[in-house]
Amino acid sequence: MPFVCLPLRVANRLPRTACCYCLLFVTYLIAALLGVIQGLTEFLPVSSTAHLLVAGRLLGYEDPAFTVMIQLGSMLAIMWLYRVKIAAVVRGLPSDRDARRFALMLVVAAVPALVAGAFLADYVQTVLYASVRVIAGAFIVGGVVMLLVERFRPAPVVLDAERTPIARAFGVGLCQVLALVPGVSRSGATIVGGMLMRLDRPAAAEFSFFLAMPTMVAAFVYELVQVQASLVAERAAEIAIGFVMAFIASALVVRPFLHLVRRSGFAPFAWYRIAFGAGLLALFPAG
């Protein structure tokens, strides 16, 4: 169990039982904090992966198995929020043309990232995830791109995410490939891609939520196979805490995010990205 160690001068003054309880408390507290970070950032254009990597490094808690399982919490949260739509599509697949078109739209949009991920996953996880400079640079460049797209985006012609033309959906899917780079953000790449494909801001955001479902399911299955040996019974409590917190945070953030986008656009998130990336470069100057 990846306990976060207390300072020795503190631990040495505590009875062994008390020290163990303190370690458990700190571990569970960090699990809850990382779950909240995952939930709050998964569907915002700010990269949950990068936030978890940085938070894990700062807290001394870097565990791929835990990360995979709390991402499941976010995935189930978005599916819960759109459960009525999902049920309608599933029921309508045999006979409803709109349901089949909606499913095809998501499959076509998901394919580019899934294919790229199958070939590049090892390089991304072993090389790019280890580089703070890559993460910081992706944050800053992504923020600048978001500001430029906000300022110069083409006039929207798609106001309903569910009615996105297949060709435009594929274009958004191509943009999602960029999210393999930590710090780019899956939601950020798909939202920017949506605006470039002439989706309205709220439609681009909601399309990003829809596309998250097949993409996150496929990524979860792949990553679960990679880390299954690390999933042991002793880890159940901290994983459950992180999972629940990620689910709750994700479920709570989606609606306010859409409201903010309708009112203010994506500029606040762009400036946050630029500031966060600059902060990373200052905090980890050696990369």
Side-chain angles (χ1 to χ4, degrees):
M1 181 177 290
F3 289 133
V4 178
C5 295
L6 294 173
L8 288 177
R9 65 179 179 276
V10 176
N12 288 337
R13 296 175 183 173
L14 296 172
R16 179 168 298 183
T17 302
C19 187
C20 288
Y21 281 126
C22 287
L23 289 170
L24 276 172
F25 175 77
V26 172
T27 298
Y28 294 160
L29 182 62
I30 290 177
L33 175 61
L34 292 176
V36 171
I37 291 173
Q38 160 63 29
L40 292 179
T41 58
E42 178 62 49
F43 300 109
L44 304 184
V46 296
S47 181
S48 63
T49 299
H51 277 81
L52 287 176
L53 287 171
V54 173
R57 183 171 296 189
L58 290 173
L59 296 170
Y61 192 111
E62 299 179 76
D63 179 24
F66 175 82
T67 300
V68 169
M69 295 310 297
I70 65 173
Q71 287 172 344
L72 174 62
S74 291
M75 180 180 75
L76 293 180
I78 197 67
M79 295 176 74
W80 171 256
L81 291 175
Y82 286 97
R83 62 192 182 278
V84 174
K85 178 62 181 178
I86 294 171
V89 170
V90 171
R91 287 196 304 266
L93 283 177
S95 58
D96 188 336
R97 180 178 178 182
D98 287 341
R100 290 197 295 267
R101 187 198 164 283
F102 181 84
L104 177 63
M105 175 186 77
L106 294 186
V107 169
V108 168
V111 164
L114 298 183
V115 172
F119 287 100
L120 299 174
D122 289 341
Y123 174 78
V124 169
Q125 293 178 1
T126 57
V127 178
L128 298 186
Y129 277 25
S131 174
V132 175
R133 287 181 178 175
V134 168
I135 296 173
F139 261 92
I140 294 170
V141 172
V144 172
V145 169
M146 194 173 292
L147 288 174
L148 291 174
V149 172
E150 273 279 88
R151 177 67 179 83
F152 300 107
R153 65 193 176 101
V157 296
V158 179
L159 305 181
D160 183 353
E162 298 181 25
R163 299 293 178 181
T164 303
I166 300 299
R168 296 185 191 275
F170 182 71
V172 177
L174 290 176
C175 292
Q176 186 176 224
V177 174
L178 298 173
L180 290 172
V181 179
V184 168
S185 167
R186 187 208 58 79
S187 58
T190 52
I191 287 170
V192 168
M195 290 193 293
L196 291 175
M197 291 296 108
R198 305 187 71 174
L199 275 67
D200 192 28
R201 288 192 190 108
E206 193 160 44
F207 187 90
S208 175
F209 299 154
F210 290 147
L211 184 53
M213 298 179 202
T215 304
M216 291 182 71
V217 168
F220 171 75
V221 172
Y222 173 82
E223 292 173 357
L224 182 62
V225 172
Q226 308 301 311
V227 303
Q228 59 181 335
S230 302
L231 295 173
V232 294
E234 291 80 3
R235 306 290 310 286
E238 63 192 90
I239 287 175
I241 290 170
F243 171 90
V244 170
M245 297 307 295
F247 180 95
I248 294 172
S250 292
L252 292 177
V253 79
V254 168
R255 300 304 181 191
F257 171 57
L258 285 174
H259 178 72
L260 178 62
V261 166
R262 291 188 180 97
R263 187 184 65 203
S264 305
F266 296 103
F269 301 100
W271 288 114
Y272 170 82
R273 291 180 60 95
I274 294 170
F276 190 90
L280 283 182
L281 291 176
L283 190 61
F284 300 102

